Amino acid sequence: MNKESYKSGFVSIIGRPNVGKSTFLNRVIGQKIAIMSDKPQTTRNKIQGVFTEDDAQIVFIDTPGIHKPKHKLGDFMVKVAQDSIKDVDATLFMVNANEGFGRGDEFIIEKLQGSRSPVILVINKIDTIHPDQLFDLINKYKDLYQFAEIVPISALQGNNVDRLLKVIKTYLPEGPQYYPANQVTDHPERFIISELIREKVLHLTREEVPHSIAVIIEQIERRPEGNAIYVNATIVVERSSQKGIIIGKQGSMLKEVGKRARLDIENLLDTKVFLELWVKVQKDWRNRMSQLRDLGFRE
Ligand code: GDP
Ligand code: K
Ligand code: MG
């Protein structure tokens, strides 16, 4: 695989209820959608599914929010944060072929006027109409908005879904594979949070702890009480001596890591955060591929 030409981006899917958004995602993501949660999300952006291929990754998200990181992250982190939070690379506006244009659509099109990224009109459920009707529909929608593309599909039967994915890919910029191919996460900030914690460990322990440590985010959960986010993370090291250093005298080092990371995460998520940190020794974890994939590394 040529790393240079890898494309990735965030694509939001909008449309009235029952137009087939979930059916489309299920078809595209397959089994993986099952592990997407309907739990309340920490941010305005909810990842609905991640579609990964050898040359591209499409991260489908719910609604694009505007949320600038308030503190200084590393360059790469800023890029990840901005791509995932501030803006999307394309929007899919899905409509139902057998329902005419409605007020709900009108409202959405109004909102789309401010969109700086391309909007692809997806006319779904074409299996329910006659081709002649489809041409009428396309002409009608063409007058309403400057769509970058209009792609008719049947999410249920799978017609033209591959074509839609190809079209989406043409609008993605070059970028990293944000999520491992076999894992779908419901939190765009998951990776950033783990990096923030890792950064604090490395900063506070200097040369004593190698960069090879990893941070696994075990859990991110919204707690209704106090409107707070609860984060549970494990710092994985290769030697018990490193574990001792990270924990520090009577836990003082881990406490400091936690305090600093928590402040950064609170800034990032703009909400109160409870951070629980654990340290675990796992020899040669780097050689264990399954582990690597769990940790979000790309081969
Ligand atoms: P959402 O609310 O936009 O997520 O819509 P859903 O994916 O839940 O779909 C609503 C209904 O439309 C379900 O009964 C689906 O089976 C049906 N549906 C979705 N896509 C198609 C399609 O391409 N053709 C037909 N005939 N039905 C579809
Ligand atoms: K539905
Ligand atoms: Mg749905």
Side-chain angles (χ1 to χ4, degrees):
M1 184 180 62
N2 180 3
K3 261 189 182 174
E4 301 309 312
S5 64
Y6 200 84
K7 293 178 110 186
S8 61
F10 294 80
V11 174
S12 61
I13 308 181
I14 56 173
R16 283 194 278 168
N18 293 322
V19 293
K21 300 181 294 293
S22 300
T23 307
F24 167 73
L25 276 165
N26 273 309
R27 173 160 292 278
V28 173
I29 319 291
Q31 285 266 310
K32 286 173 189 163
I33 203 75
I35 57 171
M36 304 305 302
S37 75
D38 270 340
K39 279 179 279 175
Q41 305 292 316
T42 58
T43 69
R44 282 141 269 194
N45 292 359
K46 174 179 172 184
I47 295 207
Q48 295 187 307
V50 180
F51 173 74
T52 308
E53 284 195 324
D54 284 347
D55 60 345
Q57 182 170 72
I58 308 170
V59 182
F60 291 103
I61 64 175
D62 213 1
T63 43
I66 311 277
H67 186 176
K68 267 193 186 163
K70 285 181 189 161
H71 68 309
K72 207 177 166 312
L73 300 164
D75 278 352
F76 177 64
M77 292 301 101
V78 169
K79 172 95 178 95
V80 173
Q82 284 177 345
D83 283 354
S84 62
I85 293 161
K86 198 192 79 202
D87 224 337
V88 289
D89 298 294
T91 296
L92 301 187
F93 173 33
M94 189 175 285
V95 296
N96 179 346
N98 67 45
E99 268 176 8
F101 179 77
R103 297 199 67 172
D105 293 329
E106 213 171 319
F107 177 73
I108 291 171
I109 282 179
E110 237 167 69
K111 287 183 122 184
L112 287 177
Q113 303 297 342
S115 170
R116 277 178 290 136
S117 51
V119 179
I120 300 167
L121 177 71
V122 180
I123 302 180
N124 188 31
K125 308 198 189 184
I126 52 165
D127 56 291
T128 62
I129 59 161
H130 189 276
D132 289 345
Q133 290 172 273
L134 182 58
F135 293 121
D136 290 345
L137 264 177
I138 289 174
N139 286 328
K140 167 129 188 110
Y141 276 102
K142 254 187 187 156
D143 290 342
L144 296 168
Y145 188 82
Q146 190 76 30
F147 293 107
E149 309 266 353
I150 297 181
V151 185
I153 66 164
S154 169
L156 196 65
Q157 301 190 343
N159 308 341
N160 227 21
V161 170
D162 286 348
R163 160 110 209 292
L164 176 55
L165 292 170
K166 278 205 191 87
V167 167
I168 294 170
K169 278 204 254 178
T170 64
Y171 290 97
L172 300 184
E174 279 186 17
Q177 187 182 307
Y178 294 99
Y179 300 100
N182 66 341
Q183 188 191 317
V184 180
T185 169
D186 54 355
H187 284 280
E189 295 85 359
R190 213 180 182 97
F191 177 63
I192 300 171
I193 290 171
S194 72
E195 283 295 293
L196 286 173
I197 297 168
R198 206 169 73 93
E199 178 190 283
K200 301 299 172 281
V201 173
L202 295 177
H203 187 76
L204 286 165
T205 61
R206 294 196 192 86
E207 278 89 50
E208 298 155 296
V209 172
H211 278 63
S212 59
I213 63 155
V215 175
I216 304 172
I217 306 299
E218 311 277 2
Q219 197 185 0
I220 304 177
E221 192 182 287
R222 180 175 284 284
R223 296 260 165 103
E225 321 91 57
N227 200 25
I229 303 295
Y230 171 86
V231 179
N232 188 334
T234 303
I235 300 164
V236 184
V237 295
E238 284 187 296
R239 277 194 284 279
S240 52
S241 61
Q242 294 162 353
K243 178 176 173 174
I245 291 165
I246 291 176
I247 291 175
K249 266 206 183 95
Q250 286 160 347
S252 57
M253 177 64 86
L254 193 60
K255 207 168 153 187
E256 188 61 24
V257 167
K259 192 181 114 192
R260 294 187 184 194
R262 178 178 54 77
L263 288 172
D264 273 4
I265 300 166
E266 285 183 342
N267 267 330
L268 179 75
L269 300 181
D270 208 8
T271 185
K272 190 163 173 52
V273 169
F274 292 99
L275 176 63
E276 200 172 323
L277 291 177
W278 304 87
V279 186
K280 190 164 86 180
V281 181
Q282 201 162 84
K283 288 197 177 72
D284 285 337
W285 66 264
R286 269 176 296 176
N287 298 326
R288 292 160 61 179
M289 289 316 292
S290 64
Q291 189 80 35
L292 270 178
R293 283 194 289 269
D294 284 351
L295 296 170
F297 283 84
R298 181 177 157 196
E299 289 145 60

